[in-house]
Amino acid sequence: MRERYAEELRKLNCSIVSMGKMIEIAIQSSVLALMGRDRDAAAQVSKNDDAINAMERDIESQCMRLLLHEQPMATDLRMITAALKMITDMERIGDHAVDIADLVLSIPDCKYGRICEIEEMSSEIIGMFDDAIQSYIGKDYNKAKNVIARDDVIDELYHSIKKDLVERIRQTDDGETILDYLLIAKYIERIGDHATNIAGWVVFALTGERE
């Protein structure tokens, strides 16, 4: 019985890693589409979102089977509960990747001088997201706390970009396109928030305390 239970937990972890990889690819593809003006890559992000949603439902079913049939003890119960909460944040990250891709499809070329900062934000949130998933798999409290601390970096970058874009809107007649770039930066900032939430659920799973 315990061997079957351990195997089900292992499968759950593998599913979370798989969903995480799908979402990382979605984020990377949407940002690469933005940087390279690659409309095909942007369109593919939206097509792949159905697979992410299906994976969320599958993980949810795995968690419910474990909760209903295996009667997990305290720490495992928190880990499974955390997984249920995490996949909601993970699915929303996938949605934001689609939001970015959709904007890439709609905006014309725009020579925005601070695009490198959007790329820097993207690189940071991909790292945060990966570390949040790894902290769950490895039950690594310190890594989870580090993810939470890094959210301040994302917020600072976002506010810097926002300040610059708002000023540009005042100075140009291309305000609508610049506003789209502001929305892209906001979606990236929100991805960072969701990665932070995931890390917070890991802390809860390991300590019983919610960040």
Side-chain angles (χ1 to χ4, degrees), residues 5-195:
Y5 176 55
E7 177 63 15
E8 289 298 318
L9 286 176
R10 188 192 69 78
K11 287 180 180 178
L12 174 62
N13 285 350
C14 288
S15 295
I16 289 173
V17 170
S18 295
M19 184 177 179
K21 291 299 181 185
M22 293 166 67
I23 291 169
E24 279 188 38
I25 290 170
I27 301 168
Q28 290 168 344
S29 297
S30 63
V31 173
L32 286 172
L34 173 66
M35 301 303 163
R37 308 299 306 143
D38 189 336
R39 298 177 67 84
D40 290 339
Q44 193 61 45
V45 174
S46 295
K47 291 179 182 177
N48 292 344
D49 192 51
D50 287 343
I52 291 174
N53 294 339
M55 181 65 80
E56 180 195 19
R57 292 191 294 271
D58 182 61
I59 293 173
E60 187 177 61
S61 296
Q62 291 181 56
C63 289
M64 294 309 296
R65 284 198 301 272
L66 282 164
L67 291 172
L68 293 173
H69 300 303
E70 302 298 342
Q71 297 179 334
M73 300 301 288
T75 301
D76 284 343
L77 176 61
R78 291 200 304 268
M79 292 297 289
I80 297 165
T81 301
L84 279 169
K85 298 292 188 179
M86 286 166 53
I87 59 173
T88 298
D89 280 296
M90 291 168 72
E91 190 273 336
R92 288 175 181 167
I93 289 174
D95 287 345
H96 288 320
V98 172
D99 291 332
I100 294 168
D102 287 346
L103 283 169
V104 171
L105 291 171
S106 68
I107 57 179
D109 288 340
C110 178
K111 297 190 176 6
Y112 172 46
R114 301 280 288 280
I115 197 75
C116 60
E117 291 190 18
I118 291 180
E119 189 173 14
E120 183 182 351
M121 277 181 69
S122 304
S123 178
E124 183 67 24
I125 59 105
I126 289 170
M128 287 173 63
F129 175 70
D130 183 62
D131 282 352
I133 298 300
Q134 292 305 316
S135 72
Y136 177 84
I137 301 303
K139 298 182 179 181
D140 190 329
Y141 172 84
N142 289 331
K143 183 169 282 189
K145 291 289 286 185
N146 180 258
V147 171
I148 294 168
R150 285 155 67 188
D151 190 49
D152 289 341
V153 175
I154 298 297
D155 289 342
E156 288 177 9
L157 282 168
Y158 170 69
H159 288 301
S160 174
I161 292 168
K162 179 181 177 181
K163 181 179 179 181
D164 181 64
L165 285 173
V166 168
E167 185 60 31
R168 284 171 182 261
I169 288 172
R170 294 194 183 104
Q171 298 174 359
T172 182
D173 57 2
D174 196 23
E176 186 174 346
T177 298
I178 293 176
L179 184 58
D180 284 339
Y181 275 87
L182 180 56
L183 284 172
I184 287 170
K186 182 61 180 177
Y187 287 136
I188 295 171
E189 189 265 342
R190 288 295 298 142
I191 290 172
D193 288 342
H194 287 301

